[in-house]
């Protein structure tokens, strides 16, 4: 009986302690009025300051440029990822073996010329090239297609003709310089490229027996669009930062020397990240620069820009993007200078 009484007493003490703890937990803090005022005032003050800062002209310009680059490229990224998913799910691998020569040295120029069939910008070509590699196409040919598709398709060439009326030499120079750059980069990859620089493709394995092709298309499209879309936004933010941060007076210092003008507009194309369907109109507006420099702007832009580098890094890996983008920039500038000097 004594033991039973001790157990009952201990249990009662535990209940009293739990009740007291619960009452303490439910009690208001000592300085609850100050905490209530802070919770009401601090978030409102922060929102007010952020809103005032967001109304600054520089921030508004940054927001506009970032949104413009993203919205401009998003439809073509959507087209490219849809085409990538369709290739993965519906196109048999034997089709690519029949279309491209077996010898990689010949497959590269054929793939470069085939870039004319994709009416999109550089955002669309990255997932398509990744899908081609996953379907057995040699990477050199896929990269030639990646570079040529956004630069020589009919939409871009038509826009160039409209932007430079009465100047067919500029359109021809853009076509030849872009195609020469794409083929040269494909051959350079054949000679110097290494497979360890490429992130291995984990999804593009083609149609699997017993699976629905539409489900495979939907899964592939969703994966590519969400993955590439994030890097597109990062690239657009970087382009907007440069566009707003660099004074326009800096542009005037580079127009006097031809070779310096070529390098400057080529670098400007990388940083502005203008979609290939619209860059010809921007190049036509740069009337203070020589024609060769404006050609370099149109050749480099669709092949090397901030959003494209970000997309390549997210798709193929950073080791590939750094090396490939640097080499493409050099080759594109050289082809622009040689072909532009001969035709313009």
């Amino acid at each position: 009986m004594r033991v039973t009484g001790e157990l009952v007493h201990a249990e009662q003490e535990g209940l009293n302690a739990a009740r007291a703890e619960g009452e303490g937990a439910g009690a208001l803090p000592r300085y609850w009025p100050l905490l209530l005022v802070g919770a009401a005032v601090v978030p409102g003050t922060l929102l007010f300051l952020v809103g005032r800062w967001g109304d600054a002209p520089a921030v508004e310009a940054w927001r506009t440029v970032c949104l413009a680059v993203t919205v401009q490229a998003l439809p073509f990224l959507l087209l490219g990822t849809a085409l990538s998913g369709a290739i993965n799910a519906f196109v048999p691998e034997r089709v690519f073996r029949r279309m491209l020569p077996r010898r990689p040295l010949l497959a590269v120029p054929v793939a470069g010329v085939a870039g004319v069939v994709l009416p999109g910008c550089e955002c669309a070509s990255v997932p398509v090239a990744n899908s081609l590699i996953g379907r057995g196409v040699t990477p050199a040919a896929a990269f030639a297609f990646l570079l040529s598709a956004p630069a020589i398709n009919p939409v871009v060439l038509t826009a160039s003709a409209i932007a430079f009326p009465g100047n067919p030499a500029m359109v021809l120079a853009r076509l030849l310089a872009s195609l020469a750059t794409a083929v040269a980069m494909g051959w350079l990859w054949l000679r110097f490229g290494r497979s360890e620089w490429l992130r291995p493709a984990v999804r593009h394995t083609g149609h699997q027996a017993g699976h629905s092709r539409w489900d495979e298309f939907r899964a592939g499209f969703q994966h590519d669009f969400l993955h590439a879309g994030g890097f597109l936004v990062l690239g657009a933010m970087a382009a907007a930062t440069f566009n707003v941060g660099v004074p326009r007076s800096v542009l005037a210092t580079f127009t006097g020397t031809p070779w310096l003008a070529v390098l400057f507009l080529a670098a400007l194309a990388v940083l502005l990240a203008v979609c290939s369907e619209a860059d010809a109109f921007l190049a036509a507006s740069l009337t203070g620069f020589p024609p060769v420099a404006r050609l370099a702007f149109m050749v480099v832009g669709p092949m090397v820009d901030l959003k494209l580098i970000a997309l390549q890094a997210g798709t193929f890996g950073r080791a590939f993007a750094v090396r490939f983008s640097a080499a493409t920039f050099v080759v594109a500038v050289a082809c622009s200078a040689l072909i532009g000097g001969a035709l313009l």
Side-chain angles (χ1 to χ4, degrees), residues 183-200:
V183 174
M185 285 303 302
W187 283 338
L188 285 175
W189 179 265
L190 278 178
R191 178 63 179 85
F192 301 104
R194 298 179 182 178
S195 58
E196 56 265 27
W197 293 346
L198 284 175
R199 177 182 299 166

Side-chain angles (χ1 to χ4, degrees), residues 62-312:
W62 182 93
R63 191 167 53 221
T64 300
V65 172
C66 182
L67 185 61
V69 172
T70 303
V71 172
Q72 188 180 48
L74 199 58
F76 299 103
L77 179 62
L78 186 66
L79 171 64
T81 50
L83 185 58
S84 172
I87 290 174
N88 180 67
F90 298 108
V91 181
E93 188 173 345
R94 62 179 180 273
V95 173
F96 302 105
R97 291 197 297 265
R98 293 176 180 176
M99 291 178 56
L100 295 176
R102 293 183 178 182
R103 295 184 60 185
L105 193 65
L106 298 178
V108 168
V110 173
V113 174
V116 74
V117 303
L118 179 64
C121 73
E122 56 271 22
C123 302
S125 62
V126 173
V128 173
N130 185 38
S131 180
L132 292 176
I133 294 175
R135 301 306 306 279
V137 174
T138 177
F143 296 149
F145 178 85
L146 182 151
L147 296 178
S148 67
I152 67 172
N153 68 72
V155 176
V156 171
L157 296 179
T158 302
S160 301
I162 295 174
F164 293 91
N167 191 3
M170 180 64 79
V171 181
L172 179 61
R174 179 173 193 178
L175 170 64
L176 295 178
S178 300
L179 184 59
T181 302
V183 174
M185 285 303 302
W187 283 338
L188 285 175
W189 179 265
L190 278 178
R191 178 63 179 85
F192 301 104
R194 298 179 182 178
S195 58
E196 56 265 27
W197 293 346
L198 284 175
R199 177 182 299 166
V202 296
R203 188 193 62 80
H204 295 292
T205 56
H207 172 61
Q208 301 295 319
H211 291 75
S212 170
R213 292 183 182 272
W214 285 106
D215 289 342
E216 290 177 342
F217 166 75
R218 178 186 53 79
F221 167 73
Q222 179 179 340
H223 174 275
D224 282 347
F225 183 76
L226 294 178
H227 189 256
F231 288 96
L232 168 63
V233 173
L234 291 178
M237 293 172 65
T241 301
F242 171 83
N243 203 319
V244 173
V246 177
R248 292 293 178 263
S249 58
V250 176
L251 301 177
T253 62
F254 294 92
T255 58
T257 308
W259 66 268
L260 193 59
V262 170
L263 293 178
F264 178 75
L265 283 192
L268 188 65
V270 176
L271 296 171
L272 290 183
V274 182
C275 190
S276 60
E277 273 75 14
D279 60 358
F281 299 97
L282 181 56
S285 68
L286 301 173
T287 55
F289 290 88
V292 177
R294 289 187 281 175
L295 173 64
F297 180 87
M298 294 187 293
V299 173
V300 172
M303 299 184 178
V304 189
D305 63 33
L306 289 179
K307 66 177 185 295
L308 181 57
I309 294 173
L311 286 169
Q312 290 180 358

Side-chain angles (χ1 to χ4, degrees), residues 44-58:
T45 303
L46 291 176
L47 289 175
F48 175 77
L49 294 176
V50 170
R52 291 291 300 274
W53 177 77
D55 291 336

